[in-house]
Amino acid sequence: MKRTRYVSAAASVVLIVGGPVAAAAAVSSDAARTVTAAPALRVDVTAQGAAAAALKHYPGVVESLDKDGSVWHVDVISKDGKGHAELDVSASGAVTEQNRDTDENAAENKALVSAKVTAEEAMKAALAAHPGQVWSVQWEDGDDGKAPYWEVEVKSSDGKTWNAHVDHATGKVTQSGADSDSDGDDNTN
C-alpha cells in the first residue's frame, strides 16, 4: 500500500513538472518545423551588386571580380594603395573575407587607384556595348607596353562571351571580341 502511494506521488511530480516542459517542447518542435518548412529565398547577386557589397565591407577600389559558381571573388585595393583584401560575395550578398594585406606596394597600385574609370563604370560601358551579364572584370596595368585598361567579360543571352577592353581614362570600349562557345576560351567548335 505504501509502495503504491510513492509511485502515485512520483508520477504526480513527473506530470506536474514534466507537463509544462513537454508542452513547451511540443510547441518548440512545431515552431521549428514551421520555420524550416519555409523555402529559403535565393537572390543571385550581379557583378555590380557583388562589387558594391565588397566595397561596403572593405572600402577602396575593385581590382578584379569574377564569378565561380554562385560565388563572386572580388579583390579590392585600399584607397591609399597599401592595402589589399580578397573577398567572396555569396549569391545572397553576404561577404566573407578570405585574406587581407596591409603591406602592398602603393606605387604598383598608383595607376589603379588614380584611374578615372572605376571597375563599376567599366562594367556599365561594356554592358552598353554588349548587353548581357558581366561575368568578370580585371584591371590590366599596362605592363605589356599598352596603356592600362579594364578587361570585362560579358555573357550574352545567346550564350556568347564578349571580352571588352575599356579605356581607363575615358570609359570607351576600345577593343572587344566574342567567343562563339560558352566556356570562355578562344576555341570555336
Side-chain angles (χ1 to χ4, degrees), residues 37-69:
L41 294 178
R42 179 185 163 122
V43 178
D44 285 329
V45 172
T46 64
Q48 297 85 342
L55 291 172
K56 185 176 180 182
H57 179 84
Y58 187 86
V61 180
V62 172
E63 178 183 33
S64 68
L65 175 142
D66 66 282
K67 189 169 188 178
D68 183 15

Side-chain angles (χ1 to χ4, degrees), residues 52 61 76 109 128 140 153 155 175 178 187:
V61 180
V76 178
N109 296 318
E140 297 295 338
E153 181 182 4
K155 290 193 178 188
Q175 177 184 348
N187 300 330

Side-chain angles (χ1 to χ4, degrees), residues 135 151 153-155 159-163 178-187:
W135 213 252
E151 185 170 342
E153 181 182 4
V154 177
K155 290 193 178 188
K160 289 187 179 181
T161 300
W162 293 90
N163 297 307
D179 289 336
S180 60
D181 57 358
S182 62
D183 64 1
D185 63 341
D186 292 328
N187 300 330

Side-chain angles (χ1 to χ4, degrees), residues 5-173:
R5 277 190 233 168
Y6 291 126
V7 171
S8 295
S12 297
V13 169
V14 168
L15 288 176
I16 290 171
V17 173
V21 172
V27 170
S28 295
S29 175
D30 286 342
R33 276 185 256 140
T34 303
V35 171
T36 57
L41 294 178
R42 179 185 163 122
V43 178
D44 285 329
V45 172
T46 64
Q48 297 85 342
L55 291 172
K56 185 176 180 182
H57 179 84
Y58 187 86
V61 180
V62 172
E63 178 183 33
S64 68
L65 175 142
D66 66 282
K67 189 169 188 178
D68 183 15
S70 63
V71 176
W72 290 94
H73 302 291
V74 186
D75 285 347
V76 178
I77 301 296
S78 63
K79 292 178 183 180
D80 65 2
K82 296 179 182 178
H84 172 251
E86 296 173 12
L87 308 169
D88 286 346
V89 180
S90 72
S92 66
V95 178
T96 304
E97 192 169 301
Q98 298 300 322
N99 189 25
R100 183 186 289 212
D101 295 320
T102 56
D103 59 353
E104 293 284 314
N105 183 346
E108 287 181 14
N109 296 318
K110 183 178 180 182
L112 170 63
V113 171
S114 63
K116 291 182 180 180
V117 175
T118 65
E120 298 85 347
E121 293 166 335
M123 287 187 273
K124 285 180 188 177
L127 288 173
H130 305 289
Q133 290 185 318
V134 172
W135 213 252
S136 70
V137 62
Q138 174 74 40
W139 172 256
E140 297 295 338
D141 60 8
D143 63 357
D144 57 358
K146 298 178 183 177
Y149 63 93
W150 290 102
E151 185 170 342
V152 183
E153 181 182 4
V154 177
K155 290 193 178 188
S156 62
S157 60
D158 64 2
K160 289 187 179 181
T161 300
W162 293 90
N163 297 307
H165 291 191
V166 180
D167 186 88
H168 77 289
T170 65
K172 181 180 177 188
V173 178

